[in-house]
Amino acid sequence: MLSFLAGLVTALIIAVVAAAIFFFRCRRKTQIQQGEDVQQLGRLTGELAHEIKNPLSTVKVSLKLIREDLNDIMRENVQCDKQLRRSLKKIDVIGAEVNRVEQILEGFMRYVGKIELQLCDVDINELVGDMTDFFAPTCRDNNITLRQLLADTPMIVRADPDLLKQVILNIFLNAQHAMPNSGELMVKTQFRDKKAAVVISDTGCGIEPDRLPRIFEPYYSSRPGGRGLGLPTAKKIIEAHSGKISVDTEPGKGSSFTIELPLKADN
Ligand SMILES: Nc1ncnc2c1ncn2[C@@H]1O[C@H](COP(=O)(O)OP(=O)(O)O)[C@@H](O)[C@H]1O
Ligand SMILES: [Mg+2]
């Protein structure tokens, strides 16, 4: 039973990886050809990922039941204790891998999925202020000095506030990872022509020139445990708002990410 489940999980992982590779390959190729094909592929791979989630849930429930059975047997028969403990350990390993596949799938589905914007009037100063308040305790715990310099007047944009918060949080978290011991995180908002700009700067490790072109690529990550979807998702969200995201960096000194969003016409 255990080897069957392990086989099933492996097959699911292979299917997910193959779907992701297929999607991104085809996307690259068709960028020059037809945009419609890309959209269809995005939808298909999204559906495939969704389909894979169902058998994964069955695997999870089955693992839980097997675990309970083994625990019952162990209670009744102390002799086979050692063997059973080994089996339970294997079940935990499979369980952890199933959870990992589930998280990969969720990240993938969020990235390829169509963004539905819930637009409203958003004051960027207020939103950024809320996010710095939210992140302040994390900064304190990590010896990071947090500074904020907001424009004097409200900066109104038409935007989806929850998605913008997600973008800012992704950039904050990256800054935190870039400053593992201590550092400074500076958040500014500025009016630039007909745009609202948010500039988030850190005094972290910076980005080497050979890595720089890759940081907005899906699944590119330079850190252990990184998923490589934070910046691509941020870019996708900002572009869905007709905005732009860019980076300025100096290895060893730090990085500065700038988001620009069109101001509401009568701002
Ligand atoms: N503030 C930063 N300082 C240094 N490197 C960064 C910073 N932000 C992003 N990066 C680089 O970009 C990569 C991709 O970031 P991201 O898409 O958020 O994925 P992840 O955080 O999972 O690695 C990071 O692994 C890192 O190499
Ligand atoms: Mg990240």
Side-chain angles (χ1 to χ4, degrees), residues 206-247:
I207 306 166
E208 298 293 333
D210 59 326
R211 291 196 285 126
L212 192 56
R214 302 199 59 198
I215 62 168
F216 289 101
E217 274 178 22
Y219 297 112
Y220 172 74
S221 177
S222 64
R223 67 187 174 89
R227 294 242 157 75
L229 284 179
L231 287 180
T233 306
K235 186 168 188 276
K236 191 177 164 183
I237 292 172
I238 295 302
E239 287 177 354
H241 284 84
S242 309
K244 252 176 42 186
I245 180 167
S246 56
V247 59

Side-chain angles (χ1 to χ4, degrees), residues 155 157 190-197 244 260-263:
M155 309 174 92
V157 299
Q190 297 165 342
F191 285 98
R192 289 191 187 171
D193 196 8
K194 289 180 178 151
K195 296 185 198 92
K244 252 176 42 186
E260 285 184 340
L261 295 166
L263 284 165

Side-chain angles (χ1 to χ4, degrees), residues 170 173-174 177 223 228-231:
N170 280 344
L173 288 170
N174 282 345
H177 293 136
R223 67 187 174 89
L229 284 179
L231 287 180

Side-chain angles (χ1 to χ4, degrees), residues 85-261:
R85 271 186 207 289
R86 265 208 305 268
S87 297
L88 280 169
K89 265 197 187 140
K90 284 181 195 154
I91 287 177
D92 288 343
V93 171
I94 298 173
E97 290 301 298
V98 170
N99 286 338
R100 205 154 65 91
V101 175
E102 220 169 34
Q103 283 164 9
I104 292 171
L105 276 178
E106 274 159 16
F108 176 72
M109 278 156 64
R110 256 198 310 277
Y111 179 68
V112 297
K114 194 168 179 294
I115 293 184
E116 305 282 355
L117 297 178
Q118 308 286 327
L119 291 178
C120 58
D121 285 2
V122 176
D123 177 5
I124 289 294
N125 281 336
E126 202 180 312
L127 185 133
V128 167
D130 287 351
M131 287 311 291
T132 48
D133 286 349
F134 172 76
F135 205 61
T138 309
C139 288
R140 260 198 306 277
D141 292 349
N142 290 277
N143 291 323
I144 294 171
T145 309
L146 178 60
R147 292 187 207 285
Q148 174 177 274
L149 195 62
L150 303 182
D152 300 337
T153 51
M155 309 174 92
I156 309 296
V157 299
R158 291 289 294 166
D160 185 318
D162 290 337
L163 290 177
L164 288 191
K165 283 181 183 172
Q166 195 184 318
V167 170
I168 291 172
L169 183 62
N170 280 344
I171 297 176
F172 281 178
L173 288 170
N174 282 345
Q176 181 201 337
H177 293 136
M179 303 185 283
N181 300 317
S182 64
E184 192 177 307
L185 178 61
M186 176 75 172
V187 191
K188 287 191 235 171
T189 61
Q190 297 165 342
F191 285 98
R192 289 191 187 171
D193 196 8
K194 289 180 178 151
K195 296 185 198 92
V198 182
V199 185
I200 302 170
S201 315
D202 65 62
T203 55
C205 57
I207 306 166
E208 298 293 333
D210 59 326
R211 291 196 285 126
L212 192 56
R214 302 199 59 198
I215 62 168
F216 289 101
E217 274 178 22
Y219 297 112
Y220 172 74
S221 177
S222 64
R223 67 187 174 89
R227 294 242 157 75
L229 284 179
L231 287 180
T233 306
K235 186 168 188 276
K236 191 177 164 183
I237 292 172
I238 295 302
E239 287 177 354
H241 284 84
S242 309
K244 252 176 42 186
I245 180 167
S246 56
V247 59
D248 228 346
T249 183
E250 203 176 325
K253 291 231 160 121
S255 308
S256 184
F257 284 80
T258 302
I259 297 165
E260 285 184 340
L261 295 166

